[in-house]
Amino acid sequence: MKPTVVIGGGVVGLFTAYFLQQQGEEVIVVDKGDMEENCSTGNAGMIVPSHIVPLASPGMIAKGMAWMFSSKSPFYIQPRLDKRLVDWCLQFYRHSNAAHVQRSIPYLKAISLYSKQLYLDFVATHGNEAIKLQDRGLLMLYKTKEGEKEEAALAHLARESGLRAEILSKDDIRKLEPHHEVDVLGGVYFPDDAHLSPKDLYRLLKNHLEKSGVQLQRNVTITGFEKSAGNVNAVMTNEGKIDCGQVMVCAGSWSGEIAKMLGFRLPMMGGKGYSFELPNTPELKQASILTEARVSQSPYGEKVRFGGTMEISSHVDKINMRRVQGIFESIKAYYPEFKAAFPSQDKIWKGMRPCSPDGLPYIGKAPGWENVAFGAGHSMMGVSLAPATGKLLADLKSGKIGTLKTDAFAVDRYAR
Ligand SMILES: Cc1cc2nc3c(=O)[nH]c(=O)nc-3n(C[C@H](O)[C@H](O)[C@H](O)COP(=O)(O)OP(=O)(O)OC[C@H]3O[C@@H](n4cnc5c(N)ncnc54)[C@H](O)[C@@H]3O)c2cc1C
């Protein structure tokens, strides 16, 4: 039996390797980086069954246009003549409507709840000391009447689809944050959400996989494929070729480039975001999203991580400190008593979210290829959906037919 090659060692690739290894497969994970830092290490670590509305939704275009004109705003598209970007924006525009949202909700809800359960199983097997999963819900905080209206509408949609959502007053919020006078109008609490430490999860997965015999090949870039009659027989790398029986492409925001090597179209843009950790004083206890600022707050006892912004730009490595300043200023706007100094540039983490234009991931078989599948494009939910994606890809390999409906995630939906 030839090995399965997983392209990309982010959280999605590692969970794919995890479930493949569990079913007795020989697995090789290949990553062009050193597997110390990628989008999967410094994010907010939220597991979000509440996020049933895709990024492409009504109102997003108008909001995005308004944000484009502020250097501290949470969203920016660098205007440039790039065919891929124009194509992506057109598709995003086409999907930003109520019908797309309604169609997507049952799919996102089902895969998110499945993934959350797989996390609970993972913790039961590996313990919680390392990954620090806190199953304590997520609070969506709002300061404005407009924010209240939007979040109440989302809570309504969530309830309609069978999820739990509670609208909280300022006094209710004070009970969740006893050390803070939270400066908001109110919030929506989603008790079924959770958060964990993404860096610790990533480290645990790498250690577990290596101990279980999975090869992690670092600093090896996939450059092409050896193909014959609808099959990939080997992946070509800068270090030589690797014979394979199956390929799983989990290359995050670079997955569109891999699809191009395989001859089909998979629209994808990298959405850059930043995060930083600060001492948690006075202690914040409840994970939250500061909704008007689009900033996430994930507490881990003595430390708390703040994250935000979505920059679709060609400057992959650049850190825009104006936007980091925007994140930092929003902390005081919601938690006026929070004490912290502005972090220096070397303390800022950045990651490229793999964004599909309709806000749904690509999970399943690659068009035209018998033995290639993709798990990519999870945008703001890659950690949340990684276990379910990995399990679905492992099931695909073993021929197991699951009950989860995945046709909305079809890899060929733009290639047809
Ligand atoms: C600020 C911020 C906050 C976030 N918060 C959350 C959150 O709270 N919850 C959540 O669920 N998600 C969150 N996300 C999103 C989440 O981080 C991503 O969706 C997730 O990490 C994507 O994982 P991935 O494995 O698909 O991609 P990546 O982590 O990017 O991994 C892809 C890997 O593929 C490798 N690769 C690419 N091309 C090649 C090639 N040709 N050859 C070999 N290797 C290749 C890359 O080196 C990389 O290591 C956040 C993101 C940001 C930026």
Side-chain angles (χ1 to χ4, degrees), residues 7-13 30-33 37-48 202 220-223 250-254 258 261 271-275 296 307-309 349-354 375-385:
I7 302 177
V11 68
V12 176
V30 179
D31 199 291
K32 67 178 179 166
E37 283 294 340
N38 52 31
C39 194
S40 301
T41 55
N43 56 67
M46 292 175 178
I47 299 165
V48 282
Y202 191 67
V220 176
T221 304
I222 301 295
T223 53
C250 305
S253 54
W254 298 270
I258 308 279
M261 292 177 199
K272 192 172 22 170
Y274 306 111
S275 80
S296 62
T309 83
W349 172 87
K350 64 171 183 341
M352 299 297 280
R353 298 176 189 88
H378 299 75
S379 187
M380 299 125 78
M381 296 187 283
V383 175
S384 195
L385 301 182

Side-chain angles (χ1 to χ4, degrees), residues 47-52 106-119 163 193 381 384-385 388 404 409:
I47 299 165
V48 282
S50 64
H51 283 34
I52 50 173
Y107 290 91
L108 286 176
K109 180 193 150 195
I111 192 172
S112 292
L113 290 175
Y114 180 47
S115 215
K116 165 96 184 278
Q117 185 53 52
L118 290 171
Y119 267 121
L163 291 167
D193 287 9
M381 296 187 283
S384 195
L385 301 182
L404 204 71
F409 309 141

